[in-house]
């Protein structure tokens, strides 16, 4: 299983709802076995820069690649990119 985690920072707090709405489109793509979008609770004592987190699970690398190739992925990117500052992504195999 591949775990896919993406962190976003918003250009403005006013953009948070629109960012979450755009990212939730990704949950309609059929290739993930688990998908969620959440606002960061910002309770960490050291770092609270991240505003929104995407967490998804995929059966394998092929499913993740199919997810990223889906037209809805491009649409979500088109909607969210102008509203966010930073995007950090990590994909790793679960043990």
């Amino acid at each position: 299983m591949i775990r896919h985690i993406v962190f976003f920072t918003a250009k403005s707090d006013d953009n948070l709802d629109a960012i979450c709405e755009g990212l939730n489109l990704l949950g309609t793509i059929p290739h993930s076995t688990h998908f969620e979008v959440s606002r960061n609770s910002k309770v960490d004592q050291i770092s609270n820069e991240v505003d929104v987190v995407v967490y998804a699970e995929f059966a394998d690398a092929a499913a993740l690649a199919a997810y990223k190739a889906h037209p809805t992925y491009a649409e979500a990117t088109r909607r969210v990119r102008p509203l966010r500052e930073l995007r950090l992504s990590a994909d790793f195999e679960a043990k």
Side-chain angles (χ1 to χ4, degrees):
M1 174 179 52
I2 304 293
R3 291 187 177 152
H4 175 69
I5 304 171
V6 187
F7 299 101
F8 293 87
T9 61
K11 287 184 178 178
S12 164
D13 286 346
D14 295 337
N15 296 335
L16 287 172
D17 287 339
I19 289 171
C20 290
E21 287 171 20
L23 293 172
N24 274 309
L25 285 175
L26 299 170
T28 66
I29 300 173
H31 304 288
S32 64
T33 58
H34 179 84
F35 180 87
E36 59 186 279
V37 174
S38 297
R39 288 189 186 194
N40 184 11
S41 59
K42 297 191 176 188
V43 296
D44 188 78
Q45 295 175 338
I46 299 170
S47 173
N48 286 306
E49 290 84 11
V50 172
D51 294 308
V52 179
V53 179
V54 172
Y55 175 79
E57 295 176 354
F58 298 88
D60 53 31
L64 177 58
Y67 163 83
K68 290 182 177 183
H70 195 280
T72 300
Y73 187 91
E75 175 60 19
T77 299
R78 184 191 69 74
R79 291 186 189 191
V80 172
R81 183 177 281 155
L83 305 175
R84 57 109 173 142
E85 288 285 343
L86 182 65
R87 177 191 179 274
L88 298 172
S89 178
D91 300 305
F92 60 97
E93 199 158 327
K95 296 182 180 189

